[in-house]
Amino acid sequence: QVQLVESGGGLVQPGGSLRLSCQASGLTLDYRAIGWFRQAPGKEREGVSCISSSGGSTNYADSVKGRFTISRDNAKNTVYLQMDFLKPEDTAVYYCAAYQSLGCYDWEWETDIGFWGQGTQVTVSS
C-alpha cells in the first residue's frame, strides 16, 4: 500500500518558520519528482514547489520564492519543505504529491501526479 505522510505542520506566528516532511512508504521516491501543494479555506489548491528526482532542479510559486526551500533525502525516502518568514496568507493545508515522471514538467497543473498525501495544517497567526 502506497502512502505519503506529511508532518511538521502547526501554529506559528508571522515571521516564524516550519519544516514540513513528506515520507513515503510502499513507494520509492528516487525516480519521481515531488511537489508540495496547498489549499486555503474557500480557495483552490495551488502549487507551492516541486523538486526533480535527483534534486537538481527546483521550482517555486512566485508567492513563496525566497522564503521556502524544497529539498529531498532519497536515502530516507523523504522530501522536505522549509518555510521561513511565514505570513498569514500561507495558512493552508499542505499536501505533498509524487509525480509519475522524473522532472517537474508543468508541475503546477497536477496532471502527472500519481499519489497524494493526506495533508498537514499550517496556521500562521499571532
Side-chain angles (χ1 to χ4, degrees):
Q1 182 182 359
V2 174
Q3 281 190 310
L4 297 177
V5 179
E6 301 96 335
S7 61
L11 173 64
V12 64
Q13 291 186 342
S17 298
L18 284 174
R19 188 176 81 154
L20 304 184
S21 299
C22 172
Q23 185 162 32
S25 61
L27 177 72
T28 300
L29 298 183
D30 294 32
Y31 302 106
R32 295 177 181 267
I34 303 297
W36 285 96
F37 291 77
R38 67 186 181 186
Q39 188 166 22
K43 294 188 176 181
E44 292 188 355
R45 187 164 56 197
E46 63 174 353
V48 174
S49 184
C50 180
I51 186 167
S52 63
S53 59
S54 67
S57 176
T58 57
N59 300 81
Y60 297 92
D62 288 343
S63 59
V64 306
K65 279 181 183 175
R67 299 188 299 121
F68 290 11
T69 304
I70 192 170
S71 62
R72 65 190 298 158
D73 184 340
N74 285 345
K76 294 183 178 180
N77 221 25
T78 302
V79 174
Y80 305 97
L81 185 68
Q82 177 67 41
M83 305 186 296
D84 298 317
F85 306 108
L86 282 161
K87 304 175 180 179
E89 51 263 45
D90 294 319
T91 295
V93 177
Y94 284 71
Y95 302 88
C96 67
Y99 293 82
Q100 307 275 30
S101 58
L102 298 170
C104 297
Y105 315 112
D106 296 323
W107 64 279
E108 294 175 283
W109 293 103
E110 305 186 17
T111 53
D112 189 45
I113 291 173
F115 302 97
W116 288 93
Q118 84 290 347
T120 185
Q121 176 70 46
V122 171
T123 302
V124 185
S125 175
S126 55

